[in-house]
Amino acid sequence: MRVNRILLSSALVVVALVIQVSALARLHLPGAVPDLMLLTVLGLAMVYGHVGGALVGFGAGLLADLAPPADHAAGRYALVLCVTGYFAGLIKPENGRLKSATGPMAVVVAAAVGSTLLYAGVGALVGDTAARHVGLTGLLFSAALYDLLLAPFVVPGIMWLARRSDNDPLVDAGPATKAGDISSGWLSSGTGLRIGSQRGGLGALKAKARTRSTRVGRIKGVKRL
């Protein structure tokens, strides 16, 4: 990965972990906890691709495994976020643009459900049966609901920062191009003229004037003869 990607990913993951541990984990909501770390990995993976998403997911999960108050085996959440980041990176659009928000929202729901199932499955392999006592069905529903409600406030901003750090031309040219289209459309609707064709219209008027003057000169020359 590039240096700017590593720096940005590290900063975002650390901020997400601090908010996750200090604020979201203390809300005592029924069922699961809103997973800000998961949303951060999803936003970066949908810009960096499957390889970058897997690397970011593994690093973020390992940091969450080692950060207190971790009550599970180290590497468990790293595996979950690594797999999630890899599959989320597979939907990265080729031109860098997302056509609608339906795709990312579907990815968030699938990631929330899939990561919860994978986390519970790995826990069952190592002897952690906490998911059975909580209720897996309620855990899946609450995880998908909380992450879906939080995603619009997190994922688009993270994707914008990731593209900004990569100097993506879509970020720099997009707002300016839209502003230019809006302004030209406003002026053209008010005047009935197209802004881009004004220069061409003036040139046509000048050409017609020159043609008329040439014809007048020829006619005068014929009369003199």
Side-chain angles (χ1 to χ4, degrees), residues 170-182:
L170 292 177
V171 177
D172 298 330
T177 303
K178 290 181 180 179
D181 293 340
I182 293 173

Side-chain angles (χ1 to χ4, degrees), residues 57-79:
F58 178 80
L62 186 61
L63 183 62
D65 288 332
L66 300 177
D71 56 351
H72 55 269
R76 180 177 171 184
Y77 200 48
L79 174 62

Side-chain angles (χ1 to χ4, degrees), residues 1-151:
M1 292 181 67
R2 302 174 185 175
V3 177
N4 56 346
R5 289 187 175 185
I6 295 175
L7 294 177
L8 178 64
S9 301
S10 301
L12 291 176
V13 166
V14 170
V15 172
L17 180 61
V18 172
I19 298 175
Q20 181 80 34
V21 174
S22 62
L24 297 179
R26 298 183 180 183
L27 294 178
H28 300 292
L29 297 173
V33 177
D35 199 341
L36 187 58
M37 294 286 286
L38 175 65
L39 297 178
T40 303
V41 172
L42 291 179
L44 294 174
M46 285 188 285
V47 176
Y48 296 159
H50 60 282
V51 176
L55 293 176
V56 172
F58 178 80
L62 186 61
L63 183 62
D65 288 332
L66 300 177
D71 56 351
H72 55 269
R76 180 177 171 184
Y77 200 48
L79 174 62
V80 172
L81 288 187
C82 180
V83 174
T84 304
Y86 177 84
F87 283 103
L90 293 177
I91 70 163
K92 175 186 176 182
E94 295 180 357
N95 59 355
R97 289 185 181 274
L98 294 173
K99 296 181 179 180
S100 66
T102 305
M105 292 298 103
V107 171
V108 170
V109 174
V113 174
S115 62
T116 304
L117 288 175
L118 183 58
Y119 187 84
V122 175
L125 293 177
V126 297
D128 185 2
T129 58
R132 297 179 181 177
H133 302 288
V134 176
L136 187 58
T137 303
L139 198 63
L140 292 174
F141 177 78
S142 58
L145 178 62
Y146 296 154
D147 291 345
L148 186 61
L149 293 176
L150 188 60

